[in-house]
Amino acid sequence: MRVGGKWICDPRRIISLQDEYQHSVSAGNQNIGDVGNKCIIYISGGSEFEFANQFLDYAMVRMLEIHNEQEVRGHGVKRMKQEQKSYETCEVHVFNPTGMEPPQPREGMVVHPWGFRPTDKASMGSGTDNAATPTFKTILDTITELGHLDKTISILALDCEGCEWDIYCDILDLNASFQQILFQLHGTPSVANDFFTSMRNAGYVIFDREMDPGGAGDVYNYSFLKLAASFFD
């Protein structure tokens, strides 16, 4: 499914796992980590608010379908907003270092006033809040602050204008699992081969690749999906 100019894989399953997770929590299951998977999405850069809104709209409709409510095609999003259903869909975390706010705040979207930087690029910012200077934090600092260490992140979508060639090592070294990673890649630096080899060794496969229409011919959107180790046997 195309969301905010990026392709994601099997969003129906993402929402179905979220529903299983929520049902398990509601039932007081002590081993909630064994049932379903909480839907957590990180997005930074690009059409981040468009991505967040489109995915949350889809998630609400999909949740209605799961619960066998009346036909929702075409008017499901509006009806669910009106009825204020208690279904929890996803946590969509938008990271924007410029301090830009979404056109319209909504439930499920959390905006953070910082962007991502590689661990070895401290010159980009120390993570201190300063309205005059964009704020950046490492991926590790971010997931620690948000309480997502040891959690599974459903989607990480990242467009950081070139920092992807440095930050991918931080992402793969984390004690966290990213089911899908959507990178916008800029140019072809000398580390490009190492990047693709490292992604493959970490269990990621490419399921979509396309040139960014707004780029200069050397900007591509790549979508990666993490597969079980048995897939590569």
Side-chain angles (χ1 to χ4, degrees), residues 1 13 23 58 62 67 73 88 116 124 143 151 161 179 198:
M1 184 174 84
R13 177 168 173 76
H23 179 74
Y58 168 80
R62 174 60 183 149
H67 288 268
R73 189 178 303 276
E88 179 183 340
F116 298 137
M124 291 178 65
I143 66 171
K151 302 293 185 182
E161 302 301 328
Q179 293 180 320
S198 297

Side-chain angles (χ1 to χ4, degrees), residues 40-56 91-104 106 108-116 142 146 148 155-157:
I40 303 172
I41 295 174
Y42 284 9
I43 177 168
S44 180
S47 303
E48 49 204 7
F49 295 122
E50 178 184 0
F51 183 103
N53 279 314
Q54 289 182 5
F55 190 89
L56 286 170
E91 289 181 21
V92 180
H93 296 267
V94 177
F95 300 89
N96 189 299
T98 67
M100 183 182 298
E101 293 293 332
Q104 183 174 355
R106 64 181 296 177
M109 184 194 305
V110 184
V111 181
H112 305 281
W114 68 84
F116 298 137
T142 297
L146 299 182
H148 295 153
I155 300 172
L156 168 64

Side-chain angles (χ1 to χ4, degrees), residues 78-87 107:
K78 180 179 179 181
R79 184 167 63 82
M80 186 167 188
K81 288 179 179 177
Q82 290 174 338
E83 296 183 8
Q84 296 293 306
K85 289 295 183 181
S86 60
Y87 305 137
E107 185 177 357

Side-chain angles (χ1 to χ4, degrees), residues 61-205:
V61 174
R62 174 60 183 149
M63 195 65 80
L64 285 172
E65 292 175 345
I66 290 174
H67 288 268
N68 294 317
E69 299 201 12
Q70 67 184 38
E71 172 60 37
V72 296
R73 189 178 303 276
H75 64 276
V77 171
K78 180 179 179 181
R79 184 167 63 82
M80 186 167 188
K81 288 179 179 177
Q82 290 174 338
E83 296 183 8
Q84 296 293 306
K85 289 295 183 181
S86 60
Y87 305 137
E88 179 183 340
T89 55
C90 294
E91 289 181 21
V92 180
H93 296 267
V94 177
F95 300 89
N96 189 299
T98 67
M100 183 182 298
E101 293 293 332
Q104 183 174 355
R106 64 181 296 177
E107 185 177 357
M109 184 194 305
V110 184
V111 181
H112 305 281
W114 68 84
F116 298 137
R117 68 168 177 84
T119 300
D120 61 352
K121 298 288 184 180
S123 61
M124 291 178 65
S126 61
T128 57
D129 294 327
N130 184 331
T133 304
T135 300
F136 296 91
K137 299 182 182 182
T138 66
I139 293 280
L140 177 58
D141 289 341
T142 297
I143 66 171
T144 300
E145 182 172 328
L146 299 182
H148 295 153
L149 276 175
D150 302 319
K151 302 293 185 182
T152 296
I153 310 299
S154 304
I155 300 172
L156 168 64
L158 183 63
D159 175 6
C160 58
E161 302 301 328
C163 88
E164 66 273 6
W165 301 113
D166 296 306
I167 206 171
Y168 80 89
C169 294
D170 293 348
I171 294 171
L172 298 182
D173 286 343
L174 286 174
N175 188 22
S177 175
F178 297 91
Q179 293 180 320
Q180 299 183 42
I181 304 180
L182 318 179
F183 279 115
Q184 185 168 94
L185 301 181
H186 302 79
T188 311
S190 58
V191 299
N193 285 338
D194 291 339
F195 167 84
F196 286 106
T197 299
S198 297
M199 293 296 291
R200 167 63 174 76
N201 290 342
Y204 288 95
V205 297

